[in-house]
């Protein structure tokens, strides 16, 4: 890649934010670039696109199964008000990880930089709540592990918002109004440098059509607990909402792609 092309990539992905994530910037000769590592197809791969599938793991609603399935070009996550997780104060229909073969999947480890892009459709029935409603998480695999990063639908002073937080230290990366994004496709670009203590960084971009809705970054942050980082998608929400926002709903995802900075 030429120096001018590297500079263009660094500028396109955002100057200081790009540099903090290890991206090339003007005047450098460090030839790094995003290499695609994961490009599943809903019609071809189905749920085999993911490392694991957590579909009603408490078997609380057999009549609603499957809650998670692939259609022609997207993955659908259904949530009913009667659904319960193994912890009965919450609901969970999620998939995890980036599968690349029948016995292989990508592992995000300390020091690496990764990027996920995809489109999500949030219907008006999937509302922000006064307690947690996560639609994407970054976690250390394992039972009982805490989230590292969460993309959530949260009511703030009565307003429905979508936000990204670094859960380890409760750091808000960015937040924007949710209602303008209801009932339409929104493009997500999430980037993470996996780092312990202050060695990590994240960038979160949402686009609606040609408009950039949010583009926020945080550097010098903790994005690693132990072992590795694994993405999760779906609906994971508390039943403790006090706004009356819980109802039968769904989430759609499509065009999932995974890239590593090398």
């Amino acid at each position: 890649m030429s120096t001018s092309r590297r500079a263009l990539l660094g500028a396109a992905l955002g100057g200081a934010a790009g540099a903090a994530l290890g991206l090339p910037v003007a005047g450098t000769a460090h030839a790094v670039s995003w290499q695609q590592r994961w490009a599943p197809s809903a019609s071809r791969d189905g749920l085999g696109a993911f490392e694991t599938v957590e579909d009603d793991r408490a078997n609380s609603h057999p009549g609603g199964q499957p809650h998670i399935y692939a259609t022609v070009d997207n993955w659908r996550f259904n949530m009913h008000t009667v659904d319960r997780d193994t912890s009965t104060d919450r609901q969970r229909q999620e998939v995890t990880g980036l599968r690349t073969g029948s016995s292989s999947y990508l592992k995000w480890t300390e020091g690496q930089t990764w990027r996920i892009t995809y489109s999500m459709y949030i219907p008006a029935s999937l509302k922000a709540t006064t307690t947690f409603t996560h639609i994407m998480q970054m976690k250390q695999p394992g039972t009982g592990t805490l989230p590292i990063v969460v993309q959530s639908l949260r009511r703030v002073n009565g307003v429905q918002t979508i936000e990204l937080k670094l859960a380890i230290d409760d750091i808000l990366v960015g937040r924007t109004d949710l209602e303008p994004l209801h009932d339409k496709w929104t493009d997500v670009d999430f980037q993470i440098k996996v780092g312990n203590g202050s060695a990590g960084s994240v960038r979160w971009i949402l686009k609606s059509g040609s408009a950039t809705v949010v583009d926020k970054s945080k550097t010098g942050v903790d994005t690693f607990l132990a072992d590795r980082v694994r993405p999760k998608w779906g609906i994971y929400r508390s039943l403790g909402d006090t706004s009356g926002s819980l109802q039968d709903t769904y989430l759609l995802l499509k065009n999932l792609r995974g890239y590593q900075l090398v």
Side-chain angles (χ1 to χ4, degrees):
M1 182 185 293
S2 68
T3 300
S4 60
R5 184 170 175 81
R6 290 196 303 270
L8 179 61
L9 176 62
L13 290 170
L21 284 166
L23 300 177
V25 295
T28 69
H30 184 46
V32 296
S33 62
W34 292 113
Q35 299 295 311
Q36 184 172 282
R37 302 297 194 207
W38 187 61
S41 161
S43 60
R44 181 190 66 235
D45 303 303
L47 296 182
F50 307 105
E51 185 180 337
T52 69
V53 179
E54 299 174 350
D55 185 331
D56 194 13
R57 58 185 188 173
N59 198 33
S60 67
H61 186 201
Q65 298 175 8
H67 297 82
I68 308 171
Y69 53 91
T71 64
V72 174
D73 64 352
N74 61 61
W75 290 269
R76 182 177 177 117
F77 302 79
N78 287 338
M79 183 66 77
H80 312 94
T81 56
V82 298
D83 297 346
R84 296 292 182 271
D85 193 24
T86 50
S87 297
T88 56
D89 65 340
R90 61 197 62 192
Q91 304 175 299
R92 184 197 304 270
Q93 310 292 0
E94 290 184 305
V95 296
T96 77
L98 288 66
R99 182 167 294 282
T100 55
S102 60
S103 59
S104 60
Y105 47 84
L106 297 176
K107 295 183 179 181
W108 297 9
T109 58
E110 188 174 5
Q112 295 180 340
T113 301
W114 290 88
R115 179 185 185 190
I116 291 290
T117 63
Y118 62 97
S119 296
M120 61 181 177
Y121 185 93
I122 304 176
S125 58
L126 182 51
K127 303 181 186 305
T129 54
T130 56
T131 48
F132 68 83
T133 294
H134 303 322
I135 57 172
M136 181 186 75
Q137 300 185 72
M138 301 291 143
K139 294 191 68 178
Q140 172 194 340
T143 302
T145 55
L146 297 174
I148 299 167
V149 181
V150 289
Q151 180 178 255
S152 309
L153 311 181
R154 188 180 303 278
R155 284 189 180 266
V156 179
N157 298 321
V159 176
Q160 294 194 73
T161 74
I162 181 171
E163 66 178 27
L164 191 85
K165 270 192 173 184
L166 293 156
I168 296 175
D169 297 312
D170 193 29
I171 296 172
L172 179 67
V173 177
R175 176 185 288 151
T176 192
D177 287 350
L178 173 63
E179 290 190 43
L181 304 181
H182 272 148
D183 297 327
K184 62 183 66 174
W185 287 99
T186 301
D187 296 325
V188 183
D189 185 337
F190 173 76
Q191 303 161 32
I192 181 171
K193 180 178 180 182
V194 181
N196 197 29
S198 60
S201 58
V202 297
R203 186 179 183 190
W204 182 55
I205 305 168
L206 296 183
K207 291 186 176 182
S208 182
S210 60
T212 298
V213 178
V214 63
D215 184 348
K216 296 291 184 181
S217 302
K218 287 288 182 183
T219 61
V221 293
D222 193 354
T223 58
F224 181 75
L225 291 174
D227 184 24
R228 61 187 173 107
V229 174
R230 182 172 68 180
K232 302 188 77 174
W233 293 274
I235 303 174
Y236 176 42
R237 65 184 184 182
S238 166
L239 294 170
D241 173 68
T242 59
S243 67
S245 297
L246 299 179
Q247 59 189 95
D248 290 354
T249 190
Y250 64 95
L251 172 72
L252 301 179
L253 303 180
K254 68 178 181 179
N255 299 330
L256 286 157
R257 298 291 183 267
Y259 306 85
Q260 185 180 8
L261 193 69
V262 293

